[in-house]
Amino acid sequence: MNTLPKLIVIEGTNASGKSGLGVELALRFGGEIISADSRQVFRGFDLGSGKITPEEMRGVPHHLIDICAPGEFFSMHDFQRLAYAAIDGVRARGRIPFLVGGTGLYVASVTDGYVMSDRAPDLAYRDELEKKTTPELYDMLRALVPDVEVDAKNRNRVMRMLEKIHDGDDHRPHSCPRYQCLKLGVTWEREILKERIDERLEKRMRAGMVDEVRRLLEGGASVEFMYKLGLEYRFITQYLTGEIATEEEMCAQLSAAIKRFAKRQMTWFRRDREIHWLDMHGDPAAEAEALIRTFMNQ
């Protein structure tokens, strides 16, 4: 019998409705939400990260949102440490923790219980890596670990793996799960998801996403940091700095990039056979509620 504390996980692709479903379920079960999003930790990065608004939270407490200043270094290890503390705090209050998000590695670091080093980063080595292009970094990693499984275009992930190897750590995370997890998956068929991505992008553009990025740049966020965050922040920064000529061209490129990213997200999530994919054409909240009640009574 599994005696580990229980954790509800809601994960899936961009524009799938994870945040809204998480709030609805937290309201039904007296829960609190721990956000698992690598960009929503930064203050001021709202529209571009798809950050839930106070109104959309509907009074449900949310954790690990707006906890870092723009440009501040924040790693998967930082996330895991803070997520563990937040989850344990929710449980101590007699409430149910919901881990909600689409950053696959952040989710897995908690659900699988990655064992990571507490060693301080080598900032000089990090500076050396920053000077290299993403393909150069990936070539370095492949030279060290020929069978490595990582997205060659995920600069942050490739850099972190190089740093771990440089520090003498095994690049393959060991696992020691702290929680018994019910994993609920949220996504749509490809064509519907594409439509949802375009609708959400258009809505956020109307809401002032370009102005948000402009304010962040004027407020001191570096171009390099915006590029690291990817997608909305990268493409809009390219538009504002003249690398992309028109807003129309930028939106077209951004839409295509988000769709490619959603496809990579699904490739990641489909590796996990423990995820129960909800029927989004039915009543996903009711389906999830039934699964949660069964899980909590086991």
Side-chain angles (χ1 to χ4, degrees):
M1 181 178 178
N2 193 332
T3 59
L4 293 175
K6 294 182 177 179
L7 173 67
I8 313 300
V9 182
I10 302 173
E11 52 194 326
T13 52
N14 276 3
S16 59
K18 297 183 299 294
S19 297
L21 179 62
V23 167
E24 178 59 36
L25 293 172
L27 287 169
R28 296 187 187 192
F29 286 93
E32 299 184 23
I33 290 174
I34 296 86
S35 170
D37 189 290
S38 61
R39 302 189 300 174
Q40 293 183 9
V41 298
F42 295 106
R43 291 186 290 274
F45 290 72
D46 302 330
L47 289 170
S49 71
K51 191 178 296 177
I52 190 169
T53 66
E55 294 75 21
E56 291 168 339
M57 291 179 184
R58 297 165 63 189
V60 173
H62 282 62
H63 306 273
L64 304 197
I65 292 177
D66 292 337
I67 59 173
C68 292
E72 185 176 344
F73 178 73
F74 189 85
S75 69
M76 179 173 65
H77 188 203
D78 295 323
F79 170 79
Q80 184 198 56
R81 173 176 52 83
L82 294 173
Y84 281 161
I87 291 167
D88 294 344
V90 172
R91 294 187 62 254
R93 290 188 288 276
R95 296 171 67 81
I96 297 176
F98 287 78
L99 182 68
V100 180
T103 302
L105 276 170
Y106 278 23
V107 173
S109 74
V110 173
T111 60
D112 294 357
Y114 290 172
V115 178
M116 293 180 278
S117 171
D118 288 323
R119 187 176 299 159
D122 183 337
L123 298 181
Y125 183 65
R126 180 175 298 158
D127 288 342
E128 180 184 329
L129 295 180
E130 288 283 11
K131 297 173 184 176
K132 298 184 180 296
T133 66
T134 302
E136 287 173 338
L137 293 172
Y138 183 68
D139 288 343
M140 287 175 60
L141 182 59
R142 284 292 301 274
L144 294 167
V145 189
D147 63 342
V148 68
E149 293 185 5
V150 65
D151 179 3
K153 297 180 181 179
N154 188 331
R155 181 180 179 85
N156 287 344
R157 178 63 177 148
V158 171
M159 282 185 61
R160 296 294 82 79
M161 294 180 78
L162 284 168
E163 286 184 296
K164 286 173 68 67
I165 295 169
H166 174 75
D167 291 340
D169 287 348
D170 185 346
H171 74 283
R172 305 177 194 278
H174 304 292
S175 295
C176 184
R178 292 194 181 192
Y179 309 105
Q180 180 184 0
C181 300
L182 172 64
K183 301 176 182 179
L184 304 175
V186 182
T187 193
W188 297 83
E189 295 90 342
R190 182 174 298 178
E191 292 307 313
I192 294 178
L193 186 60
K194 287 180 178 179
E195 291 176 4
R196 291 176 63 91
I197 287 171
D198 285 335
E199 289 171 2
R200 189 176 75 158
L201 177 56
E202 183 180 346
K203 179 180 178 181
R204 289 189 293 173
M205 288 295 294
R206 289 199 306 267
M209 191 160 56
V210 172
D211 289 336
E212 174 179 288
V213 175
R214 184 181 288 109
R215 285 196 303 271
L216 289 165
L217 289 168
E218 291 173 350
S222 70
V223 169
E224 292 75 18
F225 180 68
M226 303 299 261
Y227 277 21
K228 280 186 185 179
L229 292 180
L231 296 178
E232 293 86 353
Y233 293 108
R234 180 182 184 90
F235 282 89
I236 294 175
T237 297
Q238 289 177 315
Y239 164 61
L240 291 175
T241 57
E243 188 174 338
I244 298 176
T246 67
E247 184 173 306
E248 182 180 8
E249 181 183 351
M250 180 272 292
C251 285
Q253 291 187 28
L254 175 55
S255 171
I258 296 172
K259 290 164 186 172
R260 290 194 299 270
F261 178 69
K263 185 177 180 179
R264 292 198 299 272
Q265 283 181 307
M266 278 309 302
T267 299
W268 169 274
F269 289 124
R270 281 181 178 139
R271 295 174 180 171
D272 188 345
R273 297 189 177 184
E274 294 181 357
I275 298 177
H276 180 103
W277 292 98
L278 300 172
D279 179 6
M280 302 305 292
H281 292 289
D283 188 341
E287 182 185 1
E289 179 179 353
L291 290 166
I292 293 170
R293 293 197 184 282
T294 299
F295 174 69
M296 297 302 294
N297 290 329
Q298 289 175 345

